[in-house]
Amino acid sequence: MAAAAGAGDEERDMKQLQSEMREPGSPPGRSAGDRVNRRLKYLSLAVLVVQNASLILSIRYARTLPGDRFFSTTAVVMAEVLKGITCLLLMLAQKRGNVKELAVYLYDAVIIQYMDTLKLAVPSLIYTLQNNLQYVAISNLPAATFQVTYQLKILTTALFSVLLLRKSLSHLQWGSLVILFIGVAIVQSEQSGGKESVAASDQNYIVGLIAVGVSCLSSGFAGVYFERILKGSSGSVWLRNIQLGIFGTALGLLAMWQQDGAAVAERGFFYGYTPLVWCVIFNQAFGGLLVAVVVKYADNILKGFATSLSIVVSTAASVHLFGFHVDLPFALGAGLVIGAVYLYSLPRTPDPPLSNTSQTPPHKEPFLPKIVSKQKGHGGHPGGDNQTGNKRHKKKR
């Protein structure tokens, strides 16, 4: 309720700002407020591109540097902790610094309504698995190859949306999904793990490919499941991220103990942490929250264009940072993926109104069931309508 009221106030303020900032003699569509919105869209585009490309490149660079390698499981846990703390601070700001009010609200939303909280255990488990698999995939695949292949999450998200949310896709969107799959298949056709000059001997291309495939599946299902939960409840996005963070931290610690427990106990939780590793963690923790805020000023076309542009940026950066070799199959496949992402994000053409399709020509009698026809004709007599007209004519006399 408060979020909806705040959104309404912001919309009224924006309209007032547009009316006040409109230049004299300029038409309403070319007001100064429109220029502000245009600048915000361009800023959103830049933020989305930087976030999408920098996360993949920084993880790849941190995992291929010589020296002590940090434990990816601890990085996942730290990202969840930082994300939860950030959401708590944002909610505290919404409560105007009233710690007691925030504590009462969280106790009611998390503890009292525990069944609502438990619903987020499933997507939290999947997100934790996805984050760990992301490190495995990027550690074994070139950054550009991972960036292209990871766009299969669009395909899995669309399929789960159709199955779970009963959404319908346009013919253009189905066609773009086919193009997307073909483009990824072309990129993976060579299955060459040595396309980077910095490729290490312990990297396994097949392991990376399986990891990115499972990550795409988990990303699609978790995203659709989380969307279904958000639509069926009144909780804010920040509250949902706190609930996700509770389960994510617990499950991340469990995965860390299962995979790297002995090594973490021997070397320490922050073993191998460098300023670059901290940048990766902060990017992973705040990137999603930042995108959630930025998307307010962006539309689907802008998000699709940002994703496509981030693939180009990742590929260009991989050439300079990792000695990545761009050959013809990769260029062709990446081009198909970029085009498919853009086509999928285009707005759907509105369906023709039902009134136009249901109208019948005036000279034709519309189809009616037999019972309705009998009622209209007063028992089915051929002259029923004429008799009624005669009676009305006599009454007028």
Side-chain angles (χ1 to χ4, degrees):
M1 295 292 290
D9 294 339
E10 290 178 0
E11 184 177 358
R12 287 193 297 270
D13 294 341
M14 181 59 70
K15 289 181 179 179
Q16 183 178 1
L17 177 64
Q18 290 177 358
S19 61
E20 293 176 355
M21 297 180 63
R22 188 174 298 141
E23 296 177 355
S26 63
R30 299 297 300 273
S31 62
D34 291 338
R35 290 197 298 272
V36 173
N37 289 335
R38 194 180 304 114
R39 291 174 182 174
L40 287 175
K41 282 191 174 184
Y42 291 149
L43 179 62
S44 303
L45 172 64
V47 171
L48 288 172
V49 172
V50 171
Q51 199 277 332
N52 287 336
S54 63
L55 178 62
I56 308 303
L57 293 171
S58 59
I59 293 178
R60 177 66 178 174
Y61 190 71
R63 298 296 285 178
T64 54
L65 282 178
D68 299 332
R69 178 176 292 188
F70 68 98
F71 301 109
S72 60
T73 51
T74 63
V76 172
V77 173
M78 283 304 303
E80 291 294 333
V81 171
L82 291 175
K83 190 186 302 182
I85 294 175
T86 304
C87 292
L88 280 175
L89 293 176
L90 290 172
M91 293 188 67
L92 182 62
Q94 290 180 347
K95 302 295 181 182
R96 298 183 178 181
N98 194 330
V99 180
K100 183 178 179 180
E101 183 180 354
L102 177 61
V104 172
Y105 174 76
L106 290 177
Y107 178 78
D108 178 72
V110 178
I111 305 300
I112 301 299
Q113 303 179 26
Y114 65 92
M115 291 301 297
D116 194 38
T117 303
L118 289 176
K119 292 179 182 178
L120 293 170
V122 175
S124 180
L125 173 63
I126 299 175
Y127 280 134
T128 304
L129 173 66
Q130 175 190 344
N131 291 333
N132 283 281
L133 287 175
Q134 196 175 33
Y135 277 98
V136 175
I138 298 176
S139 300
N140 290 277
L141 291 177
T145 304
F146 171 84
Q147 184 81 319
V148 172
T149 310
Y150 194 57
Q151 301 312 312
L152 281 177
K153 65 182 180 180
I154 299 176
L155 173 62
T156 59
T157 303
L159 294 178
F160 283 120
S161 297
V162 172
L163 295 175
L164 298 180
L165 300 180
R166 305 299 181 187
K167 287 186 176 181
S168 60
L169 301 179
S170 64
H171 296 293
L172 179 62
Q173 288 176 319
W174 282 116
S176 63
L177 292 177
V178 174
I179 297 174
L180 174 69
F181 184 81
I182 294 175
V184 173
I186 293 175
V187 171
Q188 298 295 340
S189 60
E190 294 177 291
Q191 302 221 349
S192 55
K195 295 184 69 175
E196 287 183 359
S197 60
V198 298
S201 58
D202 59 344
Q203 295 180 8
N204 191 321
Y205 193 85
I206 301 299
V207 172
L209 193 60
I210 294 174
V212 73
V214 178
S215 183
C216 289
L217 284 173
S218 61
S219 174
F221 178 78
V224 172
Y225 188 90
F226 190 49
E227 179 183 353
R228 189 172 183 177
I229 291 176
L230 286 178
K231 287 184 176 180
S233 64
S234 58
S236 65
V237 178
W238 311 127
L239 173 63
R240 296 308 180 193
N241 275 283
I242 290 175
Q243 293 170 322
L244 284 173
I246 294 173
F247 291 107
T249 303
L251 294 170
L253 289 172
L254 181 62
M256 181 195 69
W257 176 78
Q258 179 69 26
Q259 183 176 345
D260 302 315
V264 170
E266 178 183 354
R267 301 177 183 177
F269 186 91
F270 298 104
Y271 174 78
Y273 275 47
T274 62
L276 177 61
V277 175
W278 280 110
C279 289
V280 171
I281 294 173
F282 275 94
N283 194 348
Q284 192 171 25
F286 301 139
L289 300 178
L290 182 63
V291 169
V293 176
V294 164
V295 162
K296 177 181 178 181
Y297 301 100
D299 51 15
N300 287 329
I301 299 178
L302 195 66
K303 289 187 289 184
F305 186 73
T307 302
S308 303
L309 191 58
S310 65
I311 295 176
V312 178
V313 172
S314 298
T315 304
S318 297
V319 172
H320 295 283
L321 293 176
F322 311 116
F324 183 76
H325 303 290
V326 179
D327 51 16
L328 182 60
F330 179 86
L332 176 61
L336 290 175
V337 170
I338 291 172
V341 171
Y342 179 75
L343 290 176
Y344 186 83
S345 63
L346 290 176
R348 297 181 59 175
T349 55
D351 297 329
L354 295 177
S355 57
N356 295 337
T357 58
S358 61
Q359 286 180 351
T360 55
H363 63 277
K364 290 185 179 181
E365 186 72 20
F367 175 79
L368 293 174
K370 292 183 179 180
I371 298 177
V372 179
S373 300
K374 289 181 180 180
Q375 292 177 354
K376 181 177 180 182
H378 298 282
H381 295 290
D385 292 339
N386 294 332
Q387 293 174 2
T388 305
N390 293 334
K391 289 180 181 179
R392 292 177 180 173
H393 184 65
K394 288 179 181 179
K395 288 181 180 179
K396 291 181 178 179
R397 289 184 178 180

